[in-house]
Amino acid sequence: MVNTAMRIDAYKDKIKTALLNKQEKISVEYYNASNLFQSVLRENPTIAAKIKNVQYDELLVGGVFSVTYTVDPDNDSEVLHADTGEQVEDAMHKAIRHYKLEVSVSVAKSVNVSEVYNNFLVTYQGYYSNLISIECEQQFNIFGGKNLVKFSFNYRIGRIKLSMMEREVNKKLAEINNILFCYDMPNEVKAFVAHNYLAKTVVYWLDEDAGPLEKSYMQSAYGALINKKCVCQGYAEAYKRILDSQGITCEVICGKIKGSPDYHAWNVVSFDDKEFYHVDVTWDAQGKGKNRYKYYGLTDERMREDRIWTRLSYMVCAGSENILEKAQVQLVQSGGLFTSRGVNKKYFN
């Protein structure tokens, strides 16, 4: 039994090594070669992502695999996993927000990828002004109930310009972190202070006559953090980038205001990946007095009063705590300590 297991592992290692070396013909002299090959792909989806097609010619003992690789076999991008349509959609959103040229997703066979893809084009392509087109290609059947699908993205702004923008944003994030946070500041306070920073320093700006490039800026973290003017998506992207830099879970939500045909973006945050809360910096930035925090730390129930959005199943905003009040109390108690460590108290309220 041990010898059999060792032989199986040795054959699997041989297949894996051959695939890593981009061999086009792989001979396996083992009676169950096809199952071994499938097993290697299931266990190594990143390798499977580099394969376009496989043909198997069975011999008396084992067989020969003829492998065709993707045109970009050196792309070592991570393979994401999705068991539902909403997870596929979420992977596409994240790829676009990070300006990925392509992303491969291991998708459960029960998911109608074509339907998800077509719905995404209809619903969201116009929402991302920097996005020109999306292509969807099923790369490979990973077996075991999974398909490997590649999404390719074509952007209005080139990669060189995007890289330059990203460097500017990262530099700005470092500056922001120095004035907003200190090492022992609770995450609830960090999320609140970041909300106030954007509300006070960024202007809502929507110019329907702006060109495609300027509209791309308006809908990005670059527009909010560098140009200091943006629309809702810019606020949401910037808020996520700031909280990401502090290790705080923050996602961008794309939805609509009830009664309006236009899309709207805001955030969902969590401090323990169990409890989630809605935060809409855009609307709070336009508010006065108590309305400055009207959309901070809200539940799904409250947001459903005037919002429609695609809910991720794991992201339920039940609101067991009042995170607004908690942050404000902590600032009253420890604000002096934070300012003594370099935090700018201008963003405490």
Side-chain angles (χ1 to χ4, degrees):
M1 188 66 144
V2 174
N3 289 336
T4 301
M6 290 176 63
R7 287 180 61 206
I8 290 174
D9 288 342
Y11 280 121
K12 289 171 66 176
D13 286 342
K14 177 184 176 181
I15 295 171
K16 181 178 178 181
T17 300
L19 292 172
L20 288 171
N21 291 329
K22 298 6 179 236
Q23 284 185 217
E24 296 181 355
K25 297 287 186 180
I26 303 173
S27 177
V28 181
E29 296 178 355
Y30 184 72
Y31 76 96
N32 212 4
S34 179
N35 286 345
L36 286 183
F37 196 92
Q38 295 174 23
S39 178
V40 170
L41 294 181
R42 285 197 301 271
E43 295 168 7
N44 300 274
T46 301
I47 293 177
K50 303 179 192 307
I51 298 173
K52 189 170 185 178
N53 188 39
V54 176
Q55 289 186 339
Y56 179 55
D57 295 320
E58 189 173 2
L59 302 177
L60 185 62
V61 178
V64 178
F65 298 91
S66 300
V67 184
T68 303
Y69 297 91
T70 59
V71 293
D72 187 16
D74 294 323
N75 181 4
D76 292 323
S77 59
E78 177 187 7
V79 177
L80 305 178
H81 300 273
D83 293 318
T84 65
E86 67 179 13
Q87 289 176 350
V88 175
E89 182 180 291
D90 189 46
M92 296 172 71
H93 279 300
K94 289 179 179 178
I96 296 168
R97 291 203 301 270
H98 289 89
Y99 307 112
K100 299 285 188 181
L101 292 178
E102 64 179 43
V103 61
S104 293
V105 187
S106 171
V107 185
K109 287 185 179 179
S110 58
V111 176
N112 188 331
V113 176
S114 295
E115 182 179 354
V116 174
Y117 166 70
N118 290 327
N119 288 342
F120 191 95
L121 292 181
V122 171
T123 306
Y124 296 115
Q125 186 163 355
Y127 175 71
Y128 294 106
S129 62
N130 188 41
L131 183 67
I132 296 176
S133 63
I134 310 173
E135 294 181 4
C136 175
E137 173 191 0
Q138 180 169 316
Q139 289 179 273
F140 197 72
N141 184 330
I142 309 181
F143 312 100
K146 294 281 187 177
N147 289 321
L148 196 67
V149 180
K150 181 176 75 174
F151 296 99
S152 302
F153 307 93
N154 184 22
Y155 300 102
R156 205 174 304 280
I157 302 176
R159 295 295 292 177
I160 295 177
K161 176 63 175 177
L162 287 172
S163 296
M164 184 192 75
M165 292 167 60
E166 184 67 11
R167 286 195 297 271
E168 289 188 63
V169 168
N170 286 332
K171 181 180 178 181
K172 189 62 179 180
L173 285 171
E175 295 175 4
I176 292 170
N177 289 347
N178 285 333
I179 64 171
L180 294 187
F181 313 125
C182 58
Y183 69 89
D184 57 350
M185 180 182 282
N187 284 342
E188 291 86 350
V189 176
K190 289 181 178 180
F192 179 65
V193 171
H195 165 280
N196 296 343
Y197 170 82
L198 292 174
K200 289 190 174 187
T201 61
V202 181
V203 175
Y204 185 88
W205 184 68
L206 176 60
D207 184 354
E208 296 292 352
D209 296 325
L213 184 60
E214 192 65 28
K215 285 185 177 180
S216 296
Y217 291 156
M218 288 191 300
Q219 293 183 320
S220 69
Y222 183 90
L225 299 177
I226 307 301
N227 292 344
K228 301 295 184 181
K229 57 183 182 181
C230 65
V231 293
C232 58
Q233 189 182 350
Y235 277 101
E237 297 289 352
Y239 191 58
K240 174 173 172 56
R241 290 298 297 271
I242 295 174
L243 295 197
D244 280 351
S245 74
Q246 298 301 303
I248 301 172
T249 298
C250 182
E251 297 294 343
V252 176
I253 299 297
C254 177
K256 287 186 176 182
I257 309 299
K258 285 186 178 179
S260 171
D262 298 325
Y263 290 105
H264 181 59
W266 65 93
N267 299 93
V268 165
V269 300
S270 177
F271 306 112
D272 58 6
D273 290 331
K274 296 177 182 178
E275 297 285 342
F276 295 87
Y277 304 86
H278 291 276
V279 175
D280 189 336
V281 183
T282 306
W283 278 39
D284 282 351
Q286 319 309 314
K288 305 295 181 184
K290 292 183 178 179
N291 286 334
R292 289 180 301 161
Y293 311 116
K294 184 177 180 180
Y295 287 88
Y296 188 86
L298 299 191
T299 63
D300 285 342
E301 182 180 9
R302 169 60 187 85
M303 290 299 279
R304 277 195 291 267
E305 293 177 8
D306 54 23
R307 305 289 168 88
I308 303 170
W309 71 96
T310 301
R311 298 172 182 80
L312 295 176
S313 57
Y314 70 90
M315 200 178 291
V316 177
C317 301
S320 63
E321 287 190 292
N322 185 331
I323 63 169
L324 171 61
E325 183 179 280
K326 186 174 182 179
Q328 290 174 325
V329 168
Q330 288 173 331
L331 281 171
V332 170
Q333 295 174 343
S334 305
L337 177 63
F338 299 150
T339 55
S340 71
R341 291 174 175 163
V343 177
N344 192 330
K345 66 178 181 181
K346 178 167 62 174
Y347 306 113
F348 286 1
N349 53 53

